[in-house]
Each structure stands twice: as structure tokens, then as C-alpha cells.
Amino acid sequence: MHNFRRIGVLTSGGDAPGMNAVIRSVTRYALSHGVEVFGIYEGYKGLMSGNMKLFDERDVSNIINRGGTILYSARSEEFRTEEGLQKAIKTCRDNAIDGIVAIGGDGTFRGATDLTARGLPCIGIPGTIDNDITATEYTIGCDTAMNTTIEMVDRLRDTCESHARCNVVEVMGRHSGYIGLYAGVAVGASAILIPEFRFEEDKIIEKLVKSKEYGKRNLIVLISEGLGNYGEGLSKRIEEKTGIETRFARLAHVVRGGSPTLRDRVIASEMGVEAVKLLLSGKSNRVVCMRDSHICDEGITYALTLDRMFKGKLSPEELDAYSDDEVKKMRDYCAFKRAEMERLYKINMDISK
Ligand code: F6P
């Protein structure tokens, strides 16, 4: 087994509620196993410049309940270059850092793979509100973001009800309609519009008219940011075509902040421990995942390929590295994930008014 003396922990990409709970878990578990921990500030940018602090127990006290990330986050172009990667490797060599736990989304994992390929063992933990890492059922931050979304939309619904209005609400999710779909079902949205499924705008508008005729005073249309700047225009067209007074709201980053939910805190705690266990057992280039509600791990390279397959971004040559059986398994898994979303999408169509 590799003898780890020191590891680093960083958060990269968009922040997510629960990241602090991961930092706490990684730090506490490592320290209790005789491994020192550097908290690295501003993600890979901080790793390149050596912006970090050797943590003690107290540095991670009172953070499990805090949103954002005490390590801050940043996106770095320089880190994508060989020169940037070499700077990061040098920081680790100079400070005797034997491995890194990197919390974030797919960009974070690409960085972790690049570092692993240059001799620095890395483990990824999925932290993004979007829940768009295909290899895992769950990414830390999503539950909090969805709960904040439903709280906000419930408030909008109160005022819609008073004024007999429609509200088009745009929620976050750069390439994924996951938040929009689940929060949409949870708020009883009249319609959910997400990039994964085609829809006909005229049919949506027809449905709103029927709901109004049926006596519904509050009409909520939940749309995902991934559709581009669609919501504002849609709300104007609803008003023009139906005469129903319609407002538009973009929740944006408001759902990315705030105190993490129980689910985010618990999963973050479990995943943090798992990441350190993986490093200490000599594993690297792995991402901690959740499958069938259990914590497990997957190769980062595999996870990134699976992700591109699910998002339709895969070039055929990428599959050359996998056997026919593996490719079939990947395709089946992607089909299952999509079918699950579709099932919920259809349920909402059947039960919403
Ligand atoms: O990936 C998380 C996310 O919040 C997306 O939902 C959103 O599109 C993006 O980050 C926003 O990024 P930024 O914080 O750079 O505006």
C-alpha cells in the first residue's frame, strides 16, 4: 500500500451546497488516519500557485451546515495547458503532497485525470447542483438546490394564485434538465420544459388555457436554463396568445447557495470518507459514485466517456478502448437513465393540470 503522508483537497467549478461537508469529512478522516491535509484555495488555480493551508481539526469545525465552499472555487484556463499542469505537479512535489481529492463536476474530473497521468494520484467527488454526472445517481448539492427551487416556486405560486397569473420560472442546469424535472413535479408545474425532451409550445399554451378554464388560478411553467434564453420570450407569447397575465422569473444562482439539506450533508460525509479510503488503498483516477443508493467508485476515464455517451457528445473512436460487452453495458445504462427521466416527465404530463 502507498504510504500517504499528505493529501490535498480542493473544490473546483461551480460551487454546490454540501462541498463544505465533504471538505470536513475528507480532512477529519485523513487526520484520524495519520495523514495531513492541505486545504487548497480556488481549485486548480490555487494548486498551481501554491495557495493553500495545512488544515487542523479546527479549520473544518462549524462548516457542515454552511453553503458555498470555504476553499473557494475558480475556473482556470492555464490549468488546461501542460505548463499549468506542471506548475500544479511542482506544488505537490515541493510540499510532499501525495494525492488530491478534487470535488466538482466533469471539468474537475478531467483535471484530476490529467494530474493522475503525470504521476499524482487523484480521486474525484461529484459536487454540482446539476446532477449531470452520468456515472453517479447523485451529485452533492442537487438536493439542496431542488429544495430551494421548490421553496421559491411555492412563493411565486402564492402570488400567482392571488392575481390569477401564470409564472414562467427558469431554473439552473447548464446541460441538464434534472433540477427542472424533479422540482417541476414537486411544485405541481402545469408544464416542464427541459432540453432532454421535445415539446410543442402551442400544445403547452393550449394546456394552460384548459387549466384556466377548469378553474386553476395559478399556473406554473418550469423551464430549464439549458434551453437557452427561452423563458422570457415564452412568457410574453403566453400572455399575447391567451390573455393570461404572465410573469417571468429566473432563479439563477439563488438556488446554488444556502445551507445544505440532510441528504447533501450525509452523502457528502460518506463520499469524503470513501475518497480518502480509495487514496489510502492505492487507488487513483477514480470518482466516488452512488449506484442503487450505495457509495461505490468508478474509473474517471470511464465515467467521462459514459457522460459523453449520455450527452450525445461521443466520437465513435472513443469506444475502441472498450469491449463489446462494456459498450453494451454503457449503452444500456444510458438508456435506463434516460428512461427514468422520461417516466417522470410523462407522469407530470398525466397528473398536472
Ligand atoms: O454547473 C452548475 C451551474 O450552476 C449550472 O447550473 C449553471 O449553468 C452554471 O453552473 C453557472 O455557472 P457560473 O457560476 O459560472 O455562472
Side-chain angles (χ1 to χ4, degrees):
M1 195 199 293
H2 187 96
N3 188 17
F4 278 82
R5 295 153 298 169
R6 272 184 187 175
I7 61 169
V9 57
L10 59 82
T11 49
S12 165
D15 64 351
M19 280 184 163
N20 284 327
V22 185
I23 296 165
R24 171 182 178 269
S25 164
V26 166
T27 305
R28 290 265 167 88
Y29 189 79
L31 289 177
S32 69
H33 285 75
V35 177
E36 291 183 318
V37 180
F38 265 114
I40 298 156
Y41 294 100
E42 295 194 325
Y44 292 121
K45 188 174 156 207
L47 189 62
M48 287 186 298
S49 64
N51 181 11
M52 57 198 194
K53 177 179 190 260
L54 206 50
F55 272 177
D56 64 33
E57 297 277 351
R58 285 206 321 277
D59 286 304
V60 294
S61 289
N62 298 322
I63 65 166
I64 195 167
N65 56 325
R66 281 171 58 188
T69 158
I70 61 157
L71 289 175
Y72 315 130
S73 193
R75 304 188 202 272
S76 167
E77 282 305 314
E78 192 188 355
F79 184 69
R80 291 167 180 258
T81 65
E82 187 56 41
E83 203 189 338
L85 285 163
Q86 288 307 330
K87 279 189 188 169
I89 294 287
K90 183 171 179 333
T91 302
C92 294
R93 228 185 0 248
D94 292 351
N95 293 280
I97 295 175
D98 299 315
I100 295 283
V101 176
I103 310 154
D106 52 359
T108 308
F109 300 153
R110 269 193 296 278
T113 292
D114 290 344
L115 289 175
T116 304
R118 284 157 185 78
L120 182 71
C122 290
I123 302 292
I125 296 185
T128 161
I129 62 165
D130 290 356
N131 202 14
D132 65 343
I133 308 289
T134 309
T136 179
E137 268 162 25
Y138 190 70
T139 63
I140 293 156
C142 183
D143 191 57
T144 307
M146 290 190 299
N147 277 293
T148 306
T149 301
I150 66 174
E151 190 190 328
M152 297 297 127
V153 178
D154 286 348
R155 286 168 191 237
L156 290 171
R157 199 224 291 262
D158 289 347
T159 162
C160 281
E161 178 75 11
S162 306
H163 292 270
R165 280 181 184 154
C166 172
N167 218 314
V168 176
V169 189
E170 183 196 280
V171 298
M172 270 198 165
R174 184 179 286 151
H175 301 297
S176 165
Y178 192 92
I179 298 176
L181 176 59
Y182 279 75
V185 172
V187 298
S190 298
I192 299 172
L193 277 51
I194 58 175
E196 283 84 350
F197 303 115
R198 287 166 62 89
F199 58 86
E200 287 175 49
E201 190 177 298
D202 286 346
K203 292 228 166 89
I204 304 281
I205 293 180
E206 242 171 64
K207 183 172 183 193
L208 295 175
V209 172
K210 279 204 187 112
S211 302
K212 182 91 180 171
E213 284 167 3
Y214 153 92
K216 195 165 167 65
R217 288 178 64 86
N218 68 76
L219 299 166
I220 300 290
V221 177
L222 216 68
I223 83 155
S224 178
E225 142 185 55
L227 287 171
N229 201 5
Y230 187 77
E232 206 157 4
L234 174 66
S235 69
K236 288 199 183 102
R237 289 191 293 279
I238 293 173
E239 187 159 309
E240 277 161 17
K241 290 185 180 169
T242 67
I244 303 170
E245 217 185 331
T246 305
R247 297 285 188 267
F248 172 67
R250 176 174 287 129
L251 299 187
H253 295 78
V254 79
V255 306
R256 222 164 79 182
S259 182
T261 57
L262 175 146
R263 184 161 195 232
D264 277 325
R265 296 181 198 196
V266 173
I267 295 176
S269 303
E270 288 182 85
M271 286 190 169
V273 166
E274 187 63 21
V276 179
K277 278 187 182 169
L278 287 169
L279 270 184
L280 300 191
S281 67
K283 299 224 173 109
S284 69
N285 204 28
R286 311 286 297 172
V287 55
V288 181
C289 293
M290 177 175 268
R291 290 267 178 92
D292 298 328
S293 302
H294 292 292
I295 304 295
C296 58
D297 61 286
E298 193 63 84
I300 293 186
T301 311
Y302 177 85
L304 290 173
T305 307
L306 193 66
D307 211 40
R308 283 194 291 276
M309 178 184 272
F310 187 70
K311 292 169 184 163
K313 292 181 183 167
L314 197 68
S315 52
E317 318 82 72
E318 280 185 78
L319 292 177
D320 291 350
Y322 300 94
S323 71
D324 289 351
D325 274 0
E326 282 169 327
V327 171
K328 183 179 179 316
K329 222 171 121 198
M330 288 160 102
R331 292 217 164 99
D332 288 350
Y333 178 73
C334 289
F336 169 75
K337 273 209 132 175
R338 199 182 156 79
E340 276 297 286
M341 283 185 85
E342 199 166 356
R343 190 180 59 81
L344 199 57
Y345 185 75
K346 286 189 175 143
I347 284 178
N348 196 65
M349 293 214 281
D350 288 340
I351 65 174
S352 61
K353 275 287 173 197

